[in-house]
Amino acid sequence: MSNEIARSHSTIDPYKHLQIVVNPDGTITRSLISPSTEATPDPVNDDAVVLSKDVTVNQSKNTWVRIFVRRQALDSPSSTKLPLIVDFHGGGFIFFSAASSLSHEFCSNVAVELPAIVVSVDYRLAPEHRLPAAYDDAMDALQWIKNTQDDWLMKLADFDNCFFMGSSAGGNIAYHAGLRATAQVNNLLPLKIKGLLLLFPFFGAIKRTASELRLVNDRC
């Protein structure tokens, strides 16, 4: 046991390694900046395939969602509604947002290719807001969707056909949101969760694995 404890001790400063600075007032500055993309609720040109818009979920927590829908679905609505996908972006629980260009482009492609209406959740980040804050924000977003009067969702989303999706840390959030949702089935109606789309999800445990112990000081 003593050897395991010694081998599991990291000599890496995580804040320095991740280029995170803790300010005197306790706020966080992230030096690693990800390109972002503005929402486009109104088409800027006739070639726009996907429209998107940002809607506040909880003003006190500064959480919000970005909704993506194929423009054709708005211009020529069908009696058949679209599957609803609730997405959680990746970033190690620490970086990025629903406005990050990588997340924006991915959700836009999903909205077109499936097609589906996608709600991307902008949850609170660590280390300012440690877990389970992101899980709590996921459930807040589901409650918001359940009670929403948003015209895009009311008009186009099939609440009986809802899926959670996430990549990396977002996959972890989607999984835990799914666990919580199973305990609140009736409370989430009319939302009915049909499945999880987990893209290389991140999972950890209390006990370190052999590879985690061996690579505890790995900087990759």
Side-chain angles (χ1 to χ4, degrees):
M1 178 63 72
S2 60
N3 288 339
E4 181 175 310
I5 294 174
R7 291 171 58 202
S8 66
H9 178 68
S10 175
T11 60
I12 297 174
D13 181 339
Y15 288 90
K16 184 177 180 180
H17 181 63
L18 295 171
Q19 302 179 52
I20 295 175
V21 177
V22 181
N23 301 312
D25 63 357
T27 59
I28 297 292
T29 298
R30 293 168 174 80
S31 299
L32 180 62
I33 304 298
S34 171
S36 62
T37 300
E38 295 290 331
T40 54
D42 299 309
V44 294
N45 58 62
D46 292 336
D47 296 328
V49 177
V50 177
L51 300 184
S52 59
K53 65 178 175 180
D54 297 337
V55 185
T56 299
V57 171
N58 188 313
Q59 190 170 7
S60 65
K61 295 180 180 178
N62 196 29
T63 56
W64 50 277
V65 295
R66 177 166 292 185
I67 307 172
F68 299 82
V69 64
R70 193 175 184 177
R71 180 180 178 181
Q72 183 181 9
L74 284 172
D75 291 343
S76 304
S78 168
S79 58
T80 302
K81 292 190 174 184
L82 297 171
L84 173 62
I85 296 179
V86 182
D87 178 69
F88 304 95
H89 66 81
F93 304 106
I94 298 172
F95 296 110
F96 311 139
S97 77
S100 295
S101 296
L102 183 64
S103 176
H104 180 93
E105 292 301 321
F106 175 71
C107 290
S108 295
N109 289 336
V110 170
V112 171
E113 297 296 333
L114 288 183
I117 186 162
V118 180
V119 176
S120 181
V121 180
D122 195 77
Y123 53 86
R124 290 171 295 170
L125 300 176
E128 305 98 311
H129 307 285
R130 295 180 180 273
L131 294 176
Y135 305 154
D136 295 339
D137 294 344
M139 299 311 295
D140 283 351
L142 294 180
Q143 287 293 329
W144 177 84
I145 294 171
K146 164 191 169 179
N147 297 312
T148 189
Q149 295 299 312
D150 178 81
D151 55 339
W152 288 7
L153 293 178
M154 294 290 293
K155 184 178 180 181
L156 300 173
D158 181 0
F159 282 19
D160 286 338
N161 203 16
C162 179
F163 297 83
F164 298 165
M165 178 173 69
S167 58
S168 191
N172 179 290
I173 297 170
Y175 172 78
H176 281 278
L179 288 180
R180 291 192 181 190
T182 61
Q184 302 182 36
V185 173
N186 292 332
N187 189 42
L188 288 174
L189 292 174
L191 276 181
K192 293 183 179 180
I193 315 305
K194 292 298 182 68
L196 307 179
L197 307 171
L198 306 182
L199 312 177
F200 48 92
F202 166 80
F203 291 104
I206 295 175
K207 184 177 180 180
R208 294 283 184 93
T209 64
S211 62
E212 287 175 328
L213 290 171
R214 186 175 69 254
L215 301 172
V216 67
N217 287 307
D218 184 75
R219 294 177 179 273
C220 294

